[in-house]
């Protein structure tokens, strides 16, 4: 697959997806008629109240569970084939590290699975650990790290193979504010450089605005897409150009307001002026 072909493709296509969980006390409808297309290279965030089905949707895309109805494709493949082909990297709410492997060993895992030669592998691991600020911890084990550090190992692991899709479920939730902003800037840079599409779950409105091309606002359970808010951050705010200064610009605050209003079920009049797509 050449990069040109990759760019034209759709990364994720979700059509009419429902998810109902059978529980001892009855059925729980977690997702209701979800339609969403994420273009190759696009950064899309999902935001919505706790329990609205964000993680469920991510798990369906990642083939960790199956929809009750509707279809999902990842680069034109079923989620299962995409998973087996290692089309995406994952960083979820729980870091999910292997406790018997060192930090370096965890980051190297996807490279090992893909048969990357030893020298290239250790060079890449060094580069990744440097990027997430864990160079001094390569030989430690996960239980010797703080939650935020474990999460950074998981992010390094997700990026190891420069996947063209990253699925990230609150990956920065356990980080302190300084590290979190640093990781956001890094993620923007990485996704712009590698052209990776990202589907990103967060509870933070400023985080969603800073990172995204579009923010998908979900309603309380059963999760539906309430609005999709395109981030219009001004001429200089191509993703690659998003830097710390952006956080203090007026356009940034306007987008924060637009997403907040959408989350609170803001009136179409208030948000429509900013070009919000109503659903
Ligand atoms: N395996 C399961 N069995 C039964 N119900 C489930 C299961 N997984 C999730 N649910 C239910 O589905 C709904 C959506 O859960 P989900 O974890 O997707 O929410 P979320 O939007 O990620 O929430 P949060 O923001 O708190 O992470 C919730 O009501 C939850 O209780
Ligand atoms: Mg969740």
């Amino acid at each position: 697959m050449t990069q040109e072909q990759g760019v034209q493709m759709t990364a994720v296509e979700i059509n009419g997806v429902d998810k109902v969980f059978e529980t001892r006390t009855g059925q729980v409808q977690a997702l209701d008629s979800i339609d969403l297309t994420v273009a190759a290279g696009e950064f899309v965030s999902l935001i919505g109240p706790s329990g609205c089905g964000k993680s469920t949707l991510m798990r369906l895309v990642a083939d960790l569970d199956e929809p009750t109805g509707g279809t999902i494709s990842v680069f034109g493949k079923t989620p299962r084939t995409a998973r087996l082909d290692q089309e995406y990297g994952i960083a979820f709410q729980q870091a999910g590290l292997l406790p018997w492997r060192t930090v370096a060993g965890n980051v190297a895992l996807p490279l090992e699975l893909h048969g990357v030669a030893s020298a290239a592998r250790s060079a890449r691991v060094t580069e990744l650990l440097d990027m997430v600020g864990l160079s001094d911890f390569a030989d430690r084990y996960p239980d010797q790290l703080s939650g935020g550090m474990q999460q950074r190992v998981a992010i390094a692991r997700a990026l190891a193979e420069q996947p063209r899709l990253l699925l990230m479920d609150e990956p920065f939730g356990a980080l302190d504010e300084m590290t979190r902003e640093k990781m956001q800037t890094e993620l923007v840079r990485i996704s712009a450089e590698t052209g990776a599409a990202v589907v990103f779950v967060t509870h933070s409105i400023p985080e969603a605005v800073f990172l995204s091309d579009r923010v998908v606002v979900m309603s309380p359970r059963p999760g539906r897409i309430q609005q999709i808010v395109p981030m219009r951050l001004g001429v200089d705010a191509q993703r690659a150009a998003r830097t710390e200064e952006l956080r203090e610009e007026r356009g940034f605050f306007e987008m924060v307001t637009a997403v907040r209003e959408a989350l609170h079920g803001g009136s179409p009049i208030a948000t429509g002026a900013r070009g919000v797509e109503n659903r």
Side-chain angles (χ1 to χ4, degrees):
M1 167 79 47
T2 67
Q3 197 151 19
E4 287 74 18
Q5 282 171 313
V7 166
Q8 290 158 8
M9 285 183 74
T10 296
V12 183
E13 174 111 45
I14 299 170
N15 280 317
V17 161
D18 298 319
K19 180 65 185 176
V20 178
F21 290 108
E22 305 287 341
T23 70
R24 255 175 291 158
T25 50
Q27 294 191 327
V28 176
Q29 176 140 24
L31 295 171
D32 183 12
S33 313
I34 302 289
D35 291 313
L36 181 66
T37 302
V38 178
E42 190 184 21
F43 200 121
V44 170
S45 289
L46 307 179
I47 198 163
S50 183
C52 75
K54 304 177 296 295
S55 296
T56 301
L57 188 58
M58 296 292 270
R59 290 173 53 80
L60 298 179
V61 176
D63 188 44
L64 297 168
D65 203 344
E66 291 181 355
T68 313
T71 58
I72 298 179
S73 69
V74 180
F75 294 110
K77 305 173 179 183
T78 64
R80 177 137 318 152
T81 308
R83 173 168 61 78
L84 297 174
D85 290 350
Q86 295 188 284
E87 289 283 6
Y88 49 82
I90 292 182
F92 278 3
Q93 265 170 319
Q94 310 299 328
L97 303 176
L98 300 177
W100 59 89
R101 281 190 164 230
T102 62
V103 164
N106 270 284
V107 176
L109 185 64
L111 302 169
E112 280 176 39
L113 290 175
H114 239 178
V116 175
S118 164
R121 208 162 65 208
S122 49
R124 178 81 182 130
V125 169
T126 303
E127 181 182 81
L128 288 159
L129 289 181
D130 186 42
M131 191 193 77
V132 297
L134 290 175
S135 300
D136 294 341
F137 297 86
D139 299 326
R140 302 283 189 89
Y141 288 87
D143 66 359
Q144 300 172 302
L145 307 179
S146 73
M149 291 161 86
Q150 292 180 26
Q151 198 57 275
R152 280 187 277 158
V153 177
I155 291 162
R157 183 184 57 190
L159 296 170
E161 285 209 290
Q162 306 200 318
R164 41 188 189 146
L165 174 64
L166 282 168
L167 302 174
M168 307 183 95
D169 188 348
E170 296 190 47
F172 303 153
L175 304 181
D176 66 87
E177 196 61 25
M178 287 276 288
T179 309
R180 187 168 183 158
E181 289 195 356
K182 190 174 143 230
M183 292 300 299
Q184 290 168 6
T185 307
E186 279 298 309
L187 181 58
V188 162
R189 185 183 61 76
I190 291 160
S191 63
E193 268 176 26
T194 63
V198 186
V199 185
F200 190 95
V201 173
T202 181
H203 280 289
S204 162
I205 298 174
E207 179 167 274
V209 170
F210 184 75
L211 294 171
S212 310
D213 295 312
R214 289 187 296 156
V215 177
V216 174
V217 176
M218 293 178 67
S219 65
R221 193 161 63 82
R224 296 196 182 99
I225 293 181
Q226 188 155 300
Q227 279 186 1
I228 299 181
V229 190
M231 292 298 101
R232 305 224 164 91
L233 290 163
V235 279
D236 294 333
Q238 291 298 322
R239 242 197 296 145
R242 291 188 190 183
T243 56
E244 292 309 311
E245 291 80 61
L246 177 63
R247 298 182 195 276
E248 294 175 3
E249 284 173 16
R250 206 172 113 208
F252 183 79
F253 291 116
E254 283 178 4
M255 283 300 133
V256 167
T257 304
V259 174
R260 187 186 297 116
E261 284 175 357
L263 256 178
H264 293 261
S267 74
I269 297 162
T271 51
R274 298 188 191 91
V276 172
E277 222 174 280
N278 286 302
R279 302 282 298 203

